Amino acid sequence: MSLPARIDVVVPAHDEEDGIAGCLGALADAVRMLARTHPEVAVAVTVVLDGCTDRTADVLRAAAAADPLWETLPLDVVETERLGVGRARAVGTTRALATGPEPSRRWTAHTDADSRVDPGWLAQQVEAHDAGAHVLVGAVVPDPDDLDPVVLARWLHAHPPGSTLGHVHGANLGLRGDVSLALGGFDPVPEHEDVRLVERARALGFDVRATTELPVVTSGRFDGRTPGGYAEHLRVTYGDAS
């Protein structure tokens, strides 16, 4: 196989003024590491501001203006009415793949605006393409600063190394560009669009690989942006600190 010509990062954001700067800063660190390890791979980032009613747009633009990286790296900011996370991911992916190299030479990497990727995350994603993967399912961990110590201890006890292998999270997901198109992209649903896409990939025989290396740190809040998402899982499963 070969490295992709370009990796496109897609980030949906709905009212994430507290997390978007950290998300962008972590992506910048990952871009810089990728430039050191695989300088031949181009990077572009698409952020979909999904009906934001807070200062997400202002914080995002201020964070981008403060880092010279974003003066040269494509950062496409798309503002929409409230779509929901499934449609927002779909809009971002469609826009990202509309220009540039042919989709088979592209990789789309997905994360969330309340999440911070590992510095090696983009290198991990492009190496999955190089290894022949069609889909890469990555792990997430809650931000320990967001959790009561009792709740954090419960989460750590329930998640020994490797225990999250195969769990699907939109905050850490990658697909080859042509595979994303063949699967029809993300469904326009309010939640679990990531799970549905990976289930479809497996059912159609695509090469779906999973890893717990380089997990993405995501918000440990209990009040999430989707009714049945990761925040609700944390609240229901680990939220009683008594």
Side-chain angles (χ1 to χ4, degrees):
M1 296 299 294
S2 61
L3 294 172
R6 190 169 100 180
I7 180 167
D8 288 273
V9 181
V10 178
V11 185
H14 173 66
D15 290 350
E16 293 291 358
E17 63 182 9
D18 294 332
I20 192 68
C23 173
L24 195 66
L27 285 173
D29 290 341
V31 169
R32 290 185 171 99
M33 178 169 284
L34 182 66
R36 293 193 294 271
T37 59
H38 303 296
E40 66 273 38
V41 180
V43 183
V45 176
T46 301
V47 179
V48 180
L49 299 178
D50 178 22
C52 294
T53 60
D54 65 355
R55 297 183 60 254
T56 301
D58 294 337
V59 174
L60 171 64
R61 292 187 171 98
D67 189 334
L69 173 76
W70 303 109
E71 295 177 3
T72 56
L73 191 80
L75 175 60
D76 187 13
V77 180
V78 185
E79 297 193 54
T80 70
E81 62 184 11
R82 183 74 167 109
L83 302 176
V85 66
R87 289 178 65 193
R89 282 197 211 281
V91 166
T93 304
T94 298
R95 183 150 171 148
L97 292 176
T99 60
E102 62 183 66
S104 65
R105 300 181 61 229
R106 306 274 287 282
W107 186 269
T108 62
H110 302 271
T111 191
D112 287 338
D114 67 340
S115 303
R116 302 188 305 276
V117 303
D118 186 273
W121 185 69
L122 288 177
Q124 180 189 59
Q125 296 284 320
V126 301
E127 287 161 8
H129 182 288
D130 188 40
H134 295 140
V135 181
L136 182 65
V137 178
V140 303
V141 296
D143 188 337
D145 292 339
D146 291 341
L147 298 179
D148 181 281
V150 173
V151 177
L152 177 60
R154 283 186 190 149
W155 189 91
L156 292 171
H157 179 73
H159 292 82
S163 65
T164 61
L165 192 65
H167 291 211
V168 177
H169 303 281
N172 192 355
L173 182 64
L175 300 92
R176 210 171 72 186
D178 57 338
V179 172
S180 181
L181 294 175
L183 293 172
F186 291 97
D187 292 339
V189 292
E191 59 187 17
H192 305 318
E193 77 292 340
D194 42 8
V195 175
R196 292 163 66 118
L197 186 67
V198 173
E199 287 178 345
R200 203 152 60 241
R202 288 188 170 121
L204 291 174
F206 285 104
D207 186 347
V208 179
R209 304 185 191 184
T211 180
T212 58
E213 296 182 7
L214 309 185
V216 169
V217 176
T218 196
S219 170
R221 67 191 176 198
F222 291 165
D223 180 17
R225 300 297 182 260
T226 61
Y230 191 66
E232 178 67 5
H233 165 71
L234 286 176
R235 186 188 68 79
V236 170
T237 311
Y238 308 106
D240 184 1
S242 60

